[in-house]
Amino acid sequence: MTPLAQEDVEKIHQHALEEYPFECCGVVLGRADTADNDTLIRCANIQNQLHEKDPETYPRDARTAYYMDPKDLMSIHRRAREEGLEIKLFYHSHPEHDAYFSDEDKRMALFENEPVYPNARYLVVSVYNKKVERDALFFWNPQTRIFEEQEKLSP
Ligand SMILES: [Zn+2]
């Protein structure tokens, strides 16, 4: 895995602060072997709209959940295919919560107990009082079959 560029980490922090007190979300597209093509793409978190329309199915609002706009995800996948890129990183923020990989985060990252994107990493940004408190980067370990926290942000 190539290191996450400091510039991208800063852009993700900025996004987390702009969306506060709601969760932000997005991806980094690129190639596995180099950071040269890395492109950060913000996604809309439509959790508030879902919660408003159907609070029974979506009991949480965007303060404690995110739902990536499927339109954004579709255009990301199209671009990835056209440019030969892959999703290297998913990121989202936890306003007023720590940077852990929650049960809900795990549930979304897995399908029938297999990782949907086995090579992607997941960055969680903890924001308290409109200040970034901590980052944590998680990756799928095929040996232990759990998402583990990487000790340093990069590589
Ligand atoms: Zn989360």
Side-chain angles (χ1 to χ4, degrees):
M1 272 294 171
T2 56
L4 190 55
Q6 187 54 36
E7 190 192 340
D8 285 338
V9 175
E10 281 161 22
K11 283 184 195 164
I12 292 168
H13 288 179
Q14 185 58 38
H15 191 197
L17 296 176
E18 283 175 33
E19 293 299 319
Y20 181 90
F22 301 118
E23 296 194 10
C24 72
C25 55
V27 305
V28 172
L29 271 186
R31 288 187 225 283
D33 55 341
T34 171
D36 292 350
N37 305 84
D38 281 6
T39 310
L40 185 123
I41 304 171
R42 291 179 172 199
C43 292
N45 177 5
I46 61 164
Q47 185 72 29
N48 275 339
Q49 289 97 299
L50 296 173
H51 172 71
E52 251 168 62
K53 260 190 248 168
D54 185 358
E56 257 175 62
T57 311
Y58 304 97
R60 294 165 177 230
D61 70 15
R63 285 172 300 183
T64 54
Y66 74 100
Y67 194 105
M68 290 178 141
D69 189 332
K71 289 198 291 287
D72 289 346
L73 270 181
M74 267 170 56
S75 75
I76 286 164
H77 281 291
R78 191 182 320 118
R79 180 165 170 188
R81 206 166 47 240
E82 283 168 2
E83 298 178 23
L85 305 173
E86 58 179 298
I87 298 177
K88 295 169 77 171
L89 178 91
F90 288 91
Y91 70 86
H92 72 285
S93 58
H94 282 177
E96 308 302 333
H97 287 84
D98 292 330
Y100 54 86
F101 209 57
S102 71
D103 288 343
E104 182 66 9
D105 293 333
K106 287 174 203 154
R107 198 185 62 76
M108 285 201 291
L110 294 168
F111 181 74
E112 293 181 342
N113 273 323
E114 293 297 329
V116 183
Y117 299 91
N119 299 319
R121 293 184 293 177
Y122 291 81
L123 182 73
V124 182
V125 182
S126 160
V127 186
Y128 282 95
N129 282 318
K130 217 168 182 185
K131 271 170 70 182
V132 172
E133 191 81 19
R134 194 173 88 91
D135 286 304
L137 195 56
F138 300 89
F139 67 99
W140 174 255
N141 182 333
Q143 268 83 49
T144 57
R145 298 194 49 80
I146 55 170
F147 285 97
E148 292 180 2
E149 184 175 345
Q150 204 162 303
E151 281 177 32
K152 314 178 274 169
L153 267 193
S154 51

